[in-house]
Amino acid sequence: MSLVEWIQLPNLGDHRGALVVAEADKNIPFEIKRLYYIFGAQPDLPRGFHAHKELQQVAFCIQGNCKMLMDNGIKKEEVLLNQSNKGLKIPPMVWHEMHDFSQDCILLVLANEHYDEFDYIRNYEDFKMRGTK
Ligand code: TYD
C-alpha cells in the first residue's frame, strides 16, 4: 500500500460559499470517535514526532497550509496539505511530523478512537524497532 493516500471530500458549495461533508464509514473509512484541531501553530515549531500503534486518522488543512512528513520505517515522503477538502490518511505505524504551518493554518484531524497515550510511540528508535520486527 502506498505511504501517501488522500481522501477527497465532496464540496457541495455554491455561490453562497463552500460546504464540505465528511461522513463516518462512507467517505471517511472508519467510525469517527474523536476530532481535534490545531491552530496558532508556529512555522518554526514542528509538532507530531510520533506514530500510533493502532489509531487511524485523517488530517485536513481546512485553512492555510502545512507540511507533513510521513515515514513508515522504510520510506519517507513529505506532503503539502493545502486543500480543505483533501484529507491525508495517517495509518497506524506511520511516524509523522507536521511543520511549516502558515499563520492561518487550521489542521483538523478525525480519529477512530478516543485519546489513549498508550497508543503513542514517541521514540523514533522504538518505532523503527517495532516496524522492522
Ligand atoms: P500531541 O499528540 O503530543 O500533539 P502533536 O502530535 O500535535 O504534537 O498532544 C499534545 C498534548 O495534548 C499531549 O499532552 C496529549 C494531549 N492530547 C489529548 O489529551 N487528547 C487528544 O486527543 C490529543 C490529540 C492530544
Side-chain angles (χ1 to χ4, degrees), residues 53 93 118 121 125-133:
K53 295 171 194 163
M93 294 310 288
F118 293 106
I121 306 170
E125 294 311 312
D126 290 350
F127 163 72
K128 287 285 277 186
M129 282 211 317
R130 279 172 166 269
T132 52
K133 259 190 216 156

Side-chain angles (χ1 to χ4, degrees), residues 81-95:
L81 285 86
N82 65 350
Q83 280 180 46
S84 57
N85 63 335
K86 195 175 159 192
L88 177 65
K89 280 195 204 179
I90 308 174
M93 294 310 288
V94 171
W95 185 266

